[in-house]
Every structure is written in C-alpha cells, then in structure tokens.
C-alpha cells in the first residue's frame, strides 16, 4: 500500500504542476538526420548527447555537444559505425565515470537476442532491457564497483514472470541523496504497450514486485518512457499514439502536455537545472530538443 500511496502522491504532484510549466522558446536542432536522442551533463554548462544516424548504408552512433547549457548543439564525433545490413548499432547512451572517462552503451544484436546468448556489449550500463526471445524483454540491473572492470551477476527486476516485452528502461532517484529509485518502462503483449513504474526502497538492491500503470490503454500504444527529477518534481515522459500515428511513431507527452504531436518517436529527457529540462524527440528523421521551465 505504501508504494501505491507514494505513487498516488507522486501522480498528484505531477498533476499539480500541470499549469505551472512554461514552454521556453521553440525546438532546438539536436541532431540532423538522427534518432534516439539522449544526453547527459558533463559540467555546469557542458552537455554531451548522442544520436544514431542512418546514412549511406551505415548506422552510426554520433556524439553531439552543447557548451551553452542546451541552447545549441553541434556534432563532435563518431563512437562507432557499422554497415546497417550486417550489424545492429542503435540506441546509444553516454555515461561519465567518476574519473572523467566516458563509456558509451548501445544496442547490438551481433550475438543474437535469444535466451542463452550473452552479448557483452550490453553490460557497460547498470540498467538495461534484455531480450528473452519471442518479443520478450526483462529489465536487468548489473553493478560494478571498480569503474566497469568487473560486474556482479545480472539480476532481472521486472518482466521475469511474464513473456511480455519490458523495455526502454529509465531510472531516477526520487530526491537528492535518497535511496528510493523509480524505474519506468514500457510493457506489452500483443501490441498494446503501456508505461509502468516500479520502486526500489534501497538503491536498486530490491524492487517492489508491484507495478503501477502510469499511462496506457488497450487500443493504442504508450512507450519509450523517460523519467527525470527536476528540483522537487518527478517528470515522466512517453511516446503515445493514442491520438494517431503508426507505432512506434506517435506524440511525445509528459504530464498533460504534448511536447510534439505526430510524428515524434524515441523520446528522452535531460535535466538542465533544478527548474528546467530538455525534452528530446525525433520527428521526420531529425532530432530536436525542446526546453521547459517550471515557474
Ligand atoms: C561503414 O561501416 C564500416 C564498418 O565499420 C566502415 O568500414 C565504413 O567506413 C563505414 N562507412 C561510412 C560511409 O561511414
């Protein structure tokens, strides 16, 4: 019940902020001819982003950078490129280590995606969605205490009791220095993906088995969710085709706000400061960043 109470309070908090946020300026170009826009903060004004570009038969994980706190973005380099017909390279995510080095995680199916395969490419992230065959995915946590040299055994924490696809995981702490974490993900069987939240009271060591539906219905898809904490508010976003669009294309929404209507896809968010954030989305083959500020 405590979980439900917490989440209900959370949802009320989210709803309470429905009137308070203000769209700041128009959408900023994040990555031309790119998709899966994601970003992290490196320092006070410097942000590092990534997109996947599909051009000349190659799939390329490209980095983009902003040195003005997200107001403009320029390409800086390539993490990896592969011939699209031969290898799957997509959905990158940068992670900065305490020593300043940057790891890049990205999707790769070289070793297949069925049960028993162990694609090491996945294991540089702490949280990821693992293919379990026939459309299924589980949410996985792995931890390393030596900057990624050694990793504890993987643990599935959502999806292991269903054959549904529990995918596109995003995780946030509920408050500074809190041990409470929320993980948001899409889950679906037979087409209707919905977005759920689960909670860990102790920094991911254990997860409550109860999941709470955040958004979704049986006649449309809601997926590609993201969660960030902006000051004292938690903001959850998703892509949904409840108003039209051929999945996985839909509109990007958070709370009751539409960031971008049809077509938008592969959405994420990045915190700018304790009042503002960027909502990232691809639309028509180009990735954009839209800033929001809480009044
Ligand atoms: C495509 O990827 C292959 C394999 O990494 C690389 O050798 C080639 O240079 C790439 N082509 C382009 C146009 O980037």
């Amino acid at each position: 019940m405590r979980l439900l109470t917490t989440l209900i309070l959370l949802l009320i908090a989210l709803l309470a902020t429905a009137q308070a946020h203000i769209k700041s300026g128009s959408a900023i170009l994040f990555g031309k001819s790119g998709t899966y826009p994601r970003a992290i903060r490196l320092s006070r004004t410097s942000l590092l982003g990534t997109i996947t570009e599909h051009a000349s038969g190659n799939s390329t994980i490209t980095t983009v950078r902003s040195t003005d706190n997200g107001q403009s973005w320029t390409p800086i380099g390539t993490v990896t490129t592969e011939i699209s017909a031969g290898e799957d390279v997509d959905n990158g995510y940068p992670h900065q280590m305490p020593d300043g080095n940057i790891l890049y995680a990205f999707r790769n199916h070289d070793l297949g995606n069925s049960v028993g395969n162990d694609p090491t490419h996945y294991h540089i992230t702490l949280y990821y969605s693992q293919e379990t065959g026939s459309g299924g995915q589980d949410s996985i946590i792995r931890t390393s205490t030596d900057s990624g040299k050694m990793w504890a055994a993987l643990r599935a924490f959502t999806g292991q009791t269903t054959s549904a696809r529990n995918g596109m995981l995003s995780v946030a702490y509920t408050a500074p220095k809190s041990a409470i974490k929320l993980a948001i993900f899409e889950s679906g069987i037979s087409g209707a993906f919905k977005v759920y939240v689960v909670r860990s009271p102790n920094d991911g060591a254990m997860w409550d088995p109860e999941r709470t539906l955040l958004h979704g219905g049986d006649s449309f898809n809601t997926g590609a969710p993201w969660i960030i904490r902006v000051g004292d508010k938690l903001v959850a976003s998703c892509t949904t085709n409840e108003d039209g669009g051929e999945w996985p294309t839909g509109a990007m929404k958070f709370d009751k706000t539409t960031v971008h209507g049809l077509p938008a896809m592969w959405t994420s968010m990045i915190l700018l400061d304790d009042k503002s954030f960027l909502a990232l989305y691809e639309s028509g083959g180009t990735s954009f960043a839209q800033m929001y500020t809480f009044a």
Side-chain angles (χ1 to χ4, degrees), residues 40-256:
I40 58 166
R41 175 175 298 285
L42 297 182
S43 67
R44 201 173 59 79
T45 55
S46 173
L47 306 176
L48 177 69
T50 179
I51 50 169
T52 313
E53 294 183 288
H54 299 286
S56 312
N58 272 46
S59 302
T60 303
I61 306 279
T62 299
T63 51
V64 295
R65 187 176 186 192
S66 170
T67 53
D68 54 10
N69 204 30
Q71 301 312 298
S72 64
W73 296 84
T74 46
I76 54 171
T78 295
V79 175
T80 188
T81 183
E82 295 293 349
I83 296 163
S84 310
E87 299 203 39
D88 179 52
V89 168
D90 218 333
N91 197 356
Y93 194 76
H95 174 72
Q96 188 170 38
M97 312 289 285
D99 64 9
N101 287 336
I102 292 163
L103 296 177
Y104 261 86
F106 56 88
R107 193 182 81 208
N108 176 274
H109 287 164
D110 286 6
L111 302 182
N113 56 354
S114 55
V115 187
N117 289 330
D118 190 17
T120 52
H121 306 56
Y122 286 138
H123 297 165
I124 57 172
T125 59
L126 294 177
Y127 291 93
Y128 60 98
S129 309
Q130 184 177 50
E131 306 271 4
T132 54
S134 61
Q137 288 186 358
D138 292 348
S139 302
I140 303 292
I141 180 170
R142 286 190 76 156
T143 52
S144 168
T145 52
D146 55 6
S147 296
K149 293 188 192 73
M150 312 238 297
W151 293 86
L154 63 85
R155 287 184 289 128
F157 68 99
T158 74
Q160 65 274 35
T161 56
T162 71
S163 60
R165 175 195 170 96
N166 280 21
M168 304 220 69
L169 189 61
S170 174
V171 181
Y173 287 107
T174 56
K177 297 189 176 156
S178 169
I180 301 171
K181 269 181 173 170
L182 297 180
I184 190 170
F185 55 96
E186 62 180 31
S187 181
I189 309 174
S190 313
F193 284 104
K194 297 173 187 172
V195 167
Y196 297 88
V197 173
V198 291
R199 178 182 180 275
S200 168
N202 52 9
D203 206 4
M206 287 163 48
W207 291 87
D208 285 322
E210 248 179 301
R211 56 171 64 180
T212 300
L213 179 70
L214 259 197
H215 197 78
D218 291 331
S219 59
F220 59 90
N221 287 293
T222 303
W226 208 273
I227 188 164
I228 54 173
R229 188 170 51 77
V230 185
D232 58 1
K233 297 169 191 66
L234 281 162
V235 180
S237 70
C238 64
T239 309
T240 174
N241 68 348
E242 64 194 315
D243 307 325
E246 193 170 325
W247 193 249
T249 305
M252 181 180 189
K253 297 191 179 185
F254 72 91
D255 195 2
K256 301 275 180 229

Side-chain angles (χ1 to χ4, degrees), residues 23-47:
K23 195 180 214 179
S24 307
S26 48
I28 296 156
L29 182 67
F30 184 79
K32 205 163 168 13
S33 62
T35 188
Y36 283 105
R38 278 91 179 85
I40 58 166
R41 175 175 298 285
L42 297 182
S43 67
R44 201 173 59 79
T45 55
S46 173
L47 306 176

